[in-house]
Amino acid sequence: MKDLSLRVEKVAAPLRQQVFERLRDAITSCRFLPGQRLIERELCELLGVSRTSVREALRQLESEGLITSVPHRGPIVATVSLEEAESIYEVRAVLEALAGRLFAERANTAQRRELDAAFEQIKIDFKRSDAQSRLSAKTHFYAILMDGSGNEILMGQLKAIQGRITLLRATSLSSPGRSQKTLKELERIMAAIDARDGNAAWKACLDHVRSAAAVAKHILAERDRSAAAAERKRKVGA
């Protein structure tokens, strides 16, 4: 393989973390597609690292719900079903709404400035065609929001489903026009936080997640319909 874009550079960050981040980005950007088998030997060649490093990263990806291990096939990229997406969005809406409320009420000056900077970066990255930059900026924004909530239990609950949230976030942001609507929804969240209005922040976060959910579920439903139609066509031609 001559594609060197996934190769890990020799920098200070732990090698395992670098490998994990490269593979996670490849999955969330759909370079590795849902259901695709991940072969360790090929990943070692793509990344330029040992099989041990790849295996450690794969275990971390599995713990975050980004891949699943299938008997006799090995690891494959996870597929989020429509039913699972509905459940995830129900939980995410409540948790992120609570995070917004707590941040508005508890965050200190430094955390508020950090969130402001993250939102400004979102505005910049959302003007680019690079889907991974938009996704990374949005993920960073929410990491700051969670930290500023000051609630470790809340952060732990969100971390447990973070991998699948990232997959769904990538799905919703892929919809034409969604980025601009997202910016308007985030502006509403920021206004509530700036006003230190916990109730308004709760409502703005809740509405934002529900809006994203509607887009993602529509895309997943269309995917399922297309797959069903293709399967019917295959059976007719068999």
Side-chain angles (χ1 to χ4, degrees), residues 17 52 60 71 153-154 172 189 234:
Q17 186 64 23
T52 298
Q60 190 173 353
I153 301 299
L154 169 62
S172 64
I189 293 172
R234 185 190 67 79

Side-chain angles (χ1 to χ4, degrees), residues 3 20 30 36 58 68 79 92 115 130 139 191 198 204 209 213 220 236:
D3 185 353
F20 164 73
C30 291
Q36 180 176 340
L58 290 175
T68 57
T79 299
R92 179 190 162 193
L115 192 69
D130 179 14
T139 300
V209 175
L220 294 177
V236 170

Side-chain angles (χ1 to χ4, degrees), residues 137-149:
K138 186 83 183 297
T139 300
H140 179 59
F141 175 88
Y142 271 101
I144 297 169
L145 190 73
M146 296 306 122
D147 184 61
S149 74

Side-chain angles (χ1 to χ4, degrees), residues 41-60:
R41 173 179 50 79
E42 294 181 355
L43 294 177
C44 290
E45 186 175 345
L46 279 171
L47 294 158
V49 298
S50 70
R51 184 163 290 191
T52 298
S53 296
V54 167
R55 286 176 177 171
E56 290 176 343
L58 290 175
R59 282 195 291 269
Q60 190 173 353

